[in-house]
Amino acid sequence: MKNFLKTSRLEKDYIFLELTRSICPVCKKTVDAQVRVRGEKVYMFKRCAEHGEFEGLISSDVNMYRHSLAFNKPGRVPLEYGSEVKHGCPEDCGLCPDHQQHTCVALLEITDGCNLCCTSCFAKATGSKYLDLKTIDFMLDSYVRCEGSPEVLQISGGEPTLHPDLFKIIEMAHSKKIKHLMINTNGVRLAEDEDLARRLADCNVELYFQFDGFEPRIYEVLRGSKEVFKLKQRALENISKYNIPTTLVATLAKGLNENQVGEIINYGLKNKFVKGVTFQPMIYVNEKIEFDPMDRLTLPDVIKEIDKQTKSLFKVSDFIPLPCPYPTCCSLTYAFIKDGRVTPITRKVDIEKYLDYFSNTLITTPAPVLRKALEGLWSASATFNSASVLKDFVCVCGIPFNKDALEHLKDNVFRIVVKPFMDAYTFDVKRAMKCCIHVIQPDGKLIPFCVYNNIYRDRRK
Ligand code: SF4
Ligand code: SF4
Ligand code: SF4
């Protein structure tokens, strides 16, 4: 006779919120996952038949988590899918017809090598391969076939500035009529070679510059050496000298550098070449780093730190979830700077009124114009050397539209983004299915970024 499990009939210590699918952190097989609320925090619990039970913190604030769910807009279909639906998400990438959003931003990883050795590297950039131009040409054409006129390409790696044909690749991407090019860089070569900064300044590119704070000890933990801080400083001097539009991108690890967010924002506000900052809470990438999935920084923690450290120059309420991916993937805000005064855009317009898609399905004129402009700003593909973003900004803020206004805004709009990527503890197929940031593969397929990092990167090596 079967033995049934006896219990003491207690109440569960959590509220069961929803069922989703995730992956086992050990074998990466797809498993069912429960989203649970305990106290004011949201956790993901899952069980792998072979490796046991796992639980990880998803959000430290259930109210912010639930509130964000309303900012979810209908997805757009790409012009072409790259795979069929066969086994179910996340095994059919892609993109497969079950995917819920087209590509807002594509990543082109042109090398698997790097001149740093970061403990937090999700690209696992320890190789020495450089993609050849023929393969890159094919990959870019695949992106164009899927998108028509693609919005944003991030040239990435590894460290893309190591590629001997970097400038040919930039030229090639421009020739495909991709609207905006970004270079994701750690800045080491920009520190060592001023001429590289000079040449990049002439290429109509934006830099996505890894910068984790102002203390050398941070770089010792995250980037392998205290000395990296000096390289960052030198790189910033060169970037500033040639005025290359730049977003500072900080990985934030709990107890290490979340105290830096205010200073990073202040630095950005004071330096015209810095157009914005992006904060990425550290994710679990491998067993070599000390990491507690139950005690990590999550999106609400970062936003609350920003409020605290900027003395409410930017408040928690200024951050609105991004509606093109799944809305727990990203929150952001914009501000404009006039005569040294910084005003978050949310103080001018009730953005929630327009981007809460469940409450506002019936908005009528003139709201659609404003909503469209807001959608332009609250898009993963919004970049700073884009006239359309500045026009949207003008529209939202009611600034009289003319050439001078656009020119002025170029140097006086500032954006703060908080982007918690998924790791094996937080991986949720709902977020994967609506991801709008995709990695172009040498065979032309597009794979959502977090899916690629958690599942496919190792398989494809
Ligand atoms: S992540 Fe998207 S493309 Fe990949 S299997 Fe899921 S639905 Fe398909
Ligand atoms: S700089 Fe970037 S690619 Fe290089 S090791 Fe660090 S995280 Fe990885
Ligand atoms: S990359 Fe990850 S965090 Fe960003 S939109 Fe895609 S699934 Fe969400």
Side-chain angles (χ1 to χ4, degrees):
M1 190 167 140
K2 189 172 176 13
N3 280 331
F4 290 96
L5 192 64
K6 295 275 181 222
T7 79
S8 46
R9 210 173 178 181
L10 295 171
E11 257 184 21
K12 306 241 187 218
D13 69 345
Y14 60 86
I15 298 168
F16 170 66
L17 198 63
E18 58 184 2
L19 181 71
T20 183
R21 285 210 310 275
S22 182
I23 50 173
C24 166
V26 181
C27 63
K28 306 289 172 77
K29 277 191 194 133
T30 310
V31 292
D32 283 350
Q34 299 174 19
V35 178
R36 299 171 167 183
V37 179
R38 196 178 297 115
E40 56 186 33
K41 298 184 178 177
V42 187
Y43 298 87
M44 178 180 277
F45 170 86
K46 57 206 168 187
R47 189 180 292 110
C48 168
E50 203 179 327
H51 298 104
E53 296 177 350
F54 301 90
E55 195 168 26
L57 181 65
I58 304 175
S59 169
S60 62
D61 190 318
V62 63
N63 291 322
M64 284 173 75
Y65 180 85
R66 290 179 59 226
H67 175 248
S68 68
L69 299 179
F71 299 82
N72 193 349
K73 75 174 184 186
R76 242 179 69 201
V77 172
L79 296 172
E80 188 180 293
Y81 289 113
S83 59
E84 292 170 16
V85 175
K86 275 192 194 151
H87 307 288
C89 185
E91 291 299 328
D92 296 329
C93 295
L95 301 177
C96 78
D98 267 359
H99 200 76
Q100 302 295 323
Q101 188 59 287
H102 77 115
T103 310
C104 295
V105 177
L107 277 104
L108 180 73
E109 298 188 343
I110 59 176
T111 175
D112 62 357
C114 190
N115 43 11
L116 286 184
C117 187
C118 307
T119 41
S120 56
C121 180
F122 41 67
K124 298 172 185 150
T126 51
S128 55
K129 286 191 225 107
Y130 298 107
L131 277 191
D132 61 86
L133 292 176
K134 199 166 157 227
T135 308
I136 291 172
D137 189 49
F138 172 77
M139 291 162 81
L140 292 177
D141 283 343
S142 307
Y143 184 26
V144 171
R145 272 202 320 279
C146 292
E147 284 302 309
S149 41
E151 290 290 333
V152 181
L153 180 76
Q154 289 192 347
I155 299 178
S156 179
E159 174 52 41
T161 59
L162 293 176
H163 198 296
D165 290 322
L166 176 67
F167 287 94
K168 283 191 191 147
I169 296 165
I170 292 173
E171 213 178 293
M172 195 187 275
H174 278 313
S175 76
K176 309 274 180 199
K177 307 268 182 282
I178 295 167
K179 290 183 195 145
H180 306 289
L181 287 193
M182 301 177 86
I183 312 283
N184 298 1
T185 181
N186 61 26
V188 173
R189 284 216 58 230
L190 283 158
E192 291 164 344
D193 179 4
E194 183 184 325
D195 202 48
L196 177 65
R198 185 191 57 74
R199 290 181 71 194
L200 282 174
D202 287 336
C203 288
N204 192 18
V205 294
E206 219 175 292
L207 298 180
Y208 207 57
F209 179 80
Q210 177 198 81
F211 185 76
D212 308 310
F214 293 89
E215 294 171 14
R217 65 175 179 94
I218 298 167
Y219 295 90
E220 186 174 26
V221 179
L222 292 182
R223 310 289 166 201
S225 162
K226 279 183 182 171
E227 297 306 306
V228 175
F229 179 52
K230 283 192 199 134
L231 292 170
K232 299 281 177 187
Q233 285 175 308
R234 232 179 295 143
L236 284 172
E237 279 162 25
N238 288 339
I239 297 168
S240 164
K241 183 165 176 191
Y242 294 96
N243 198 23
I244 311 175
T246 298
T247 295
L248 302 178
V249 187
T251 297
L252 298 178
K254 188 161 185 175
L256 177 73
N257 62 338
E258 74 266 48
N259 65 349
Q260 300 285 303
V261 296
E263 219 179 316
I264 296 173
I265 290 169
N266 280 337
Y267 176 85
L269 288 169
K270 278 191 205 132
N271 288 280
K272 297 273 184 220
F273 72 96
V274 180
K275 305 300 176 188
V277 296
T278 295
F279 295 113
Q280 300 173 348
M282 173 118 155
I283 56 172
Y284 173 77
V285 283
N286 58 49
E287 62 291 340
K288 285 186 213 133
I289 54 166
E290 231 177 83
F291 187 84
D292 181 353
M294 296 295 276
D295 184 25
R296 62 192 300 166
L297 278 184
T298 65
L299 185 142
D301 303 311
V302 177
I303 293 178
K304 287 174 191 175
E305 281 296 328
I306 293 171
D307 189 331
K308 190 170 97 193
Q309 292 176 37
T310 63
K311 301 195 173 57
S312 296
L313 179 65
F314 294 96
K315 294 184 183 161
V316 170
S317 55
D318 291 321
F319 287 83
I320 308 289
L322 186 68
C324 43
Y326 199 74
T328 53
C329 280
C330 180
S331 274
L332 65 140
T333 193
Y334 287 86
F336 62 91
I337 306 160
K338 196 173 175 208
D339 304 327
R341 251 191 64 206
V342 179
T343 311
I345 191 173
T346 38
R347 316 283 169 87
K348 290 270 172 192
V349 189
D350 182 0
I351 291 173
E352 289 207 28
K353 202 168 121 196
Y354 297 100
L355 295 186
D356 172 344
Y357 286 79
F358 294 108
S359 313
N360 297 303
T361 46
L362 294 177
I363 279 178
T364 51
T365 37
V369 178
L370 194 51
R371 191 180 193 176
K372 230 171 153 264
L374 282 167
E375 283 178 343
L377 295 179
W378 259 259
S379 159
S381 57
T383 62
F384 286 100
N385 39 5
S386 147
S388 72
V389 164
L390 297 178
K391 279 183 194 157
D392 288 336
F393 204 89
V394 162
C395 169
V396 170
C397 294
I399 300 168
F401 180 75
N402 58 45
K403 221 172 131 217
D404 288 348
L406 288 188
E407 211 42 50
H408 176 77
L409 279 179
K410 248 189 194 171
D411 283 338
N412 291 287
V413 173
F414 191 77
R415 179 174 60 188
I416 306 175
V417 176
V418 185
K419 204 185 264 189
F421 290 124
M422 297 192 285
D423 59 27
Y425 286 91
T426 55
F427 189 91
D428 186 332
V429 288
K430 289 197 306 298
R431 289 175 62 185
M433 283 178 108
K434 201 167 178 248
C435 177
C436 59
I437 302 174
H438 305 150
V439 186
I440 314 172
Q441 301 299 305
D443 60 5
K445 289 189 174 186
L446 289 161
I447 302 187
F449 185 64
C450 287
V451 184
Y452 187 61
N453 286 334
N454 280 291
I455 301 171
Y456 289 81
R457 192 182 285 283
D458 285 339
R459 283 187 197 166
R460 293 197 154 215
K461 271 200 168 156

